[in-house]
Amino acid sequence: MKKEITSLQKARYAYKPKLPTALQNGAHVAITVGDKTTSVADSDKIHELFPATYGAPTLTFTKGDAKTTSPINVGVILSGGQAPGGHNVISGIFDGIKSIHPESKLFGFLGGPSGVIENKYIELTLDIIDAYRNTGGFDIIQSGRTKLETVEHFDATASNCKALGIKALVIIGGDDSNTNAALLAEYFADTNKGVNVIGCPKTIDGDLKNEHIETSFGFDTACKVYSNMIGNIQRDAMSAQKYWHFVKLMGRSASHIGLECALQTQPNITLISEEVEANQMQLKDVVNHMADIIVKRAEKKMNFGIALIPEGLVEFIPEFKILIQELNDILAHHEVAFQDLRSYDEQKMFLNKHLTEHSSYLFNMLPVGIQTQLILERDPHGNVPVSMIETEKLLIELIKVRLEELKEEGKYNGKFSAINHFFGYEGRCAAPSNFDADYCYSLGFNAAALIGAGKTGYMSSIRNISKPQNAWIAGGIPITMMMNVERRHGHDKPVIRKALVELDGAPFKYFANLRAEWAIGNHYLYAGPIQYFGPAEVADIVTRTLELEQAGK
Ligand code: FBP
């Protein structure tokens, strides 16, 4: 049966993503070499761990002249959670290496990093690429969370790449996957494997960013999808005037998604995990803060509202942070013994034996549902699956109790009826916005330029991205520059430093100035669905975060 496609998909196939000027002649570029770099912290340790790749300079590209070169075979891996625009990164790599030499080949390893270890791959031909241009999802080769970490993994990767004549491997991933790209690049350089490694910054979470990586791809589209949904709920709340909607938003640790959606929709309450931590707020403080706003709105006969809750909140509430660290260490150091325990009661006894007194007290106070969610299996990078922790439900229950207390004290006379939502998967595979379509294609094409220049251990970097594409700056950033040492899985590890919401940054300050008004008045904004066609001020807008961060630059 012929595969059916929608009219929109057909129209999107025809969309030609825009490239920065430096890449408009092809992936042959002229290179300006910047200063040697150091890591963001723990430089001695990172230097010691990455002797072959540490300290490389930043690179900036301008248009180059076409040269006679030989074909280059390249491998690509999609790693970690889906993010809109992954297919465009791949089509950018494809078109980029073909611009270097028409006989260059692109191989896609299937199912994430495990594909390269197990040698599962397909050759990505023009027909395949054309069927995925400007589409959402990672289904072209699928993704996975396997961690490339052991020497066996590295050796298998090298020999599988070599068998296909692959000279460079592109890892499209978040902070953890790009950390692994750096480890792989180092190992290959140290052992002269003849395979280079390039990273591309992916994650809807928006937490892989710094001076040179201004945003990770997918954040723009995902936030626009969630903001549209939040706007729709706000309209419903205004219409019915009877529900409080508690919306948990994906984003793992950082609250970038929550903050961006707040800027796009102006809801009544938005919790920012980084602020909760900075103010050392305990769970009861968070509950009281939310209850206070609910009471104030009830006094104005508004028993409805919207609250946005970042999914990583619990990891930032100091008492929970300690509890989670202790649970991580127990689960990492007693993995086998813990898995052998048959019932939850036995597991709980085991945990209580190893937790400190304070953490054990907190753990036992929590509803059983939350307890079991806190001990769900960590991903291969040691991350707690925060998307599974029903923080929004926990808050609703605790707020109900608090409002009852206030009622008894004669301080509240409203009605609290709450509905919980979780927005995450709804946005991760949306068709990329024009911004993400252009940015991702440019990141991929630029990765081809780094490969053509024979670089390794670099992340593809496109800067100045709140401006039109002609002003975008293409180049490469050594991955080691973004690294520091953090405790993961019970051990100190070199990792890319996560970019959390900066409380002295322009986006947070803008939000903090206005949130009191948003809390009590109804200043809701309705972003509407992503527009792929139409005037630039509707179809090509960037996130408010990027706009505020780059204002005046
Ligand atoms: P990445 O960091 O891999 O980009 O993942 C993003 C994310 O969507 C997080 O926001 C979320 O917590 C997590 O993936 C959920 O992943 P999974 O669906 O594998 O449980």
Side-chain angles (χ1 to χ4, degrees):
M1 202 172 106
K2 193 168 172 282
K3 197 174 173 202
E4 282 187 67
I5 57 166
T6 61
S7 311
L8 180 71
Q9 196 172 330
K10 203 165 159 197
R12 287 308 279 169
Y13 280 159
Y15 181 76
K16 294 266 172 280
K18 301 177 212 79
L19 281 171
T21 314
L23 304 174
Q24 287 170 4
N25 275 0
H28 301 282
V29 288
I31 303 177
T32 306
V33 177
D35 293 333
K36 290 214 161 258
T37 57
T38 55
S39 60
V40 279
D42 311 308
S43 48
D44 290 344
K45 187 77 193 154
I46 302 291
H47 194 173
E48 193 187 311
L49 293 167
F50 294 86
T53 51
Y54 185 83
T58 56
L59 307 172
T60 307
F61 299 154
T62 45
K63 263 187 192 170
D65 298 322
K67 295 181 233 145
T68 324
T69 45
S70 352
I72 314 178
N73 286 2
V74 171
V76 63
I77 299 174
L78 287 165
S79 180
Q82 283 71 255
H87 290 160
N88 273 30
V89 180
I90 293 181
S91 55
I93 301 171
F94 181 86
D95 293 346
I97 60 170
K98 292 284 183 188
S99 78
I100 293 174
H101 194 289
E103 281 164 36
S104 299
K105 286 185 181 170
L106 182 61
F107 295 94
F109 289 101
L110 302 175
S114 62
V116 72
I117 303 171
E118 294 161 13
N119 205 24
K120 294 187 179 143
Y121 66 90
I122 52 166
E123 184 184 339
L124 293 164
T125 56
L126 184 61
D127 281 355
I128 299 177
I129 294 287
D130 280 349
Y132 287 92
R133 290 183 194 269
N134 307 307
T135 58
F138 277 8
D139 41 317
I140 187 169
I141 49 172
Q142 307 94 46
S143 187
R145 291 200 184 274
T146 305
K147 192 173 173 186
L148 286 173
E149 58 180 342
T150 62
V151 169
E152 290 74 30
H153 289 163
F154 294 172
D155 285 338
T157 300
S159 67
N160 293 333
C161 284
K162 283 189 135 175
L164 293 167
I166 288 174
K167 288 270 172 277
L169 184 63
V170 182
I171 298 185
I172 303 173
D175 51 343
D176 292 328
S177 312
N178 275 288
T179 293
N180 291 3
L183 290 165
L184 197 62
E186 175 67 25
Y187 181 77
F188 286 175
D190 188 41
T191 51
N192 290 319
K193 288 282 192 282
V195 181
N196 290 340
V197 183
I198 299 297
C200 277
K202 168 237 72 168
T203 178
I204 61 161
D205 300 352
D207 58 5
L208 174 46
K209 66 171 174 180
N210 50 54
E211 193 193 337
H212 302 278
I213 305 296
E214 295 173 353
T215 191
S216 53
F217 79 75
F219 175 72
D220 181 276
T221 309
C223 289
K224 284 173 179 163
V225 171
Y226 304 143
S227 297
N228 174 37
M229 292 162 71
I230 293 163
N232 293 347
I233 287 180
Q234 291 181 152
R235 278 268 194 233
D236 198 288
M238 282 288 279
S239 309
Q241 309 236 333
K242 60 179 179 182
Y243 296 126
W244 264 93
H245 293 270
F246 279 51
V247 184
K248 183 175 81 165
L249 289 164
M250 251 193 188
R252 206 190 290 286
S253 299
S255 305
H256 297 292
I257 292 183
L259 179 56
E260 173 61 26
C261 290
L263 295 170
Q264 287 195 31
T265 62
Q266 304 187 170
N268 307 106
I269 303 176
T270 305
L271 300 177
I272 301 294
S273 305
E274 292 82 345
E275 185 184 25
V276 166
E277 182 172 51
N279 293 342
Q280 292 287 295
M281 288 169 85
Q282 304 293 337
L283 185 57
K284 73 168 179 0
D285 302 320
V286 174
V287 169
N288 290 351
H289 161 73
M290 297 178 88
D292 281 352
I293 293 176
I294 293 167
V295 169
K296 285 198 184 115
R297 286 180 65 81
E299 282 164 7
K300 293 181 178 287
K301 303 273 173 285
M302 293 188 293
N303 290 300
F304 65 92
I306 312 290
L308 304 187
I309 299 145
E311 72 171 4
L313 178 70
V314 286
E315 286 191 300
F316 287 77
I317 296 177
E319 68 216 277
F320 270 94
K321 189 175 183 170
I322 298 171
L323 168 64
I324 290 172
Q325 270 164 3
E326 289 182 22
L327 289 172
N328 286 349
D329 284 355
I330 297 169
L331 296 175
H333 295 306
H334 305 276
E335 202 179 347
V336 180
F338 189 74
Q339 273 167 6
D340 280 350
L341 301 170
R342 300 245 174 90
S343 67
Y344 179 60
D345 281 346
E346 283 178 291
Q347 290 181 336
K348 197 166 164 179
M349 262 169 61
F350 184 89
L351 292 172
N352 278 320
K353 214 166 76 192
H354 290 87
L355 286 169
T356 57
E357 196 183 336
H358 192 265
S359 292
S360 164
Y361 175 75
L362 172 63
F363 188 72
N364 292 316
M365 257 180 47
L366 296 169
V368 173
I370 301 282
Q371 290 177 1
T372 52
Q373 288 155 13
L374 283 170
I375 57 168
L376 285 171
E377 196 182 339
R378 275 50 182 153
D379 77 6
H381 302 273
N383 295 308
V384 181
V386 280
S387 59
M388 304 287 181
I389 302 176
E390 294 175 321
T391 330
E392 70 287 21
K393 289 191 186 163
L394 176 67
L395 288 172
I396 291 174
E397 289 316 310
L398 296 174
I399 287 170
K400 273 186 196 158
V401 174
R402 175 69 187 146
L403 291 175
E404 277 310 313
E405 284 168 10
L406 291 171
K407 209 166 235 177
E408 275 169 29
E409 291 167 23
K411 293 179 182 155
Y412 171 64
N413 190 22
K415 267 180 79 179
F416 180 65
S417 182
I419 297 179
N420 60 280
H421 311 261
F422 170 39
F423 296 163
Y425 296 99
E426 295 81 351
R428 294 202 314 183
C429 283
S433 60
N434 286 349
F435 171 83
D436 268 328
D438 296 342
Y439 182 51
C440 292
Y441 185 74
S442 300
L443 284 171
F445 208 96
N446 189 57
L450 285 164
I451 292 167
K455 302 298 171 190
T456 193
Y458 276 82
M459 193 179 287
S460 176
S461 154
I462 304 288
R463 289 183 292 134
N464 214 22
I465 49 179
S466 64
K467 305 285 182 312
Q469 282 75 14
N470 278 343
W472 285 10
I473 301 166
I477 306 301
I479 303 179
T480 52
M481 190 182 174
M482 306 167 201
M483 299 183 92
N484 65 173
V485 174
E486 286 175 25
R487 195 146 183 87
R488 294 283 174 90
H489 243 338
H491 301 281
D492 286 340
K493 297 265 181 192
V495 292
I496 292 179
R497 183 192 268 175
K498 254 190 209 310
L500 299 177
V501 168
E502 288 175 11
L503 302 183
D504 57 357
F508 179 81
K509 279 186 174 164
Y510 181 93
F511 155 79
N513 271 336
L514 292 170
R515 64 178 153 185
E517 283 175 47
W518 299 351
I520 310 304
N522 297 321
H523 297 280
Y524 305 140
L525 288 179
Y526 308 107
I530 295 178
Q531 301 296 306
Y532 298 98
F533 305 99
E537 66 272 22
V538 179
D540 294 343
I541 41 172
V542 298
T543 56
R544 294 282 288 131
T545 304
L546 205 54
E547 195 184 304
L548 290 163
E549 280 173 349
Q550 299 202 348
K553 279 196 185 161

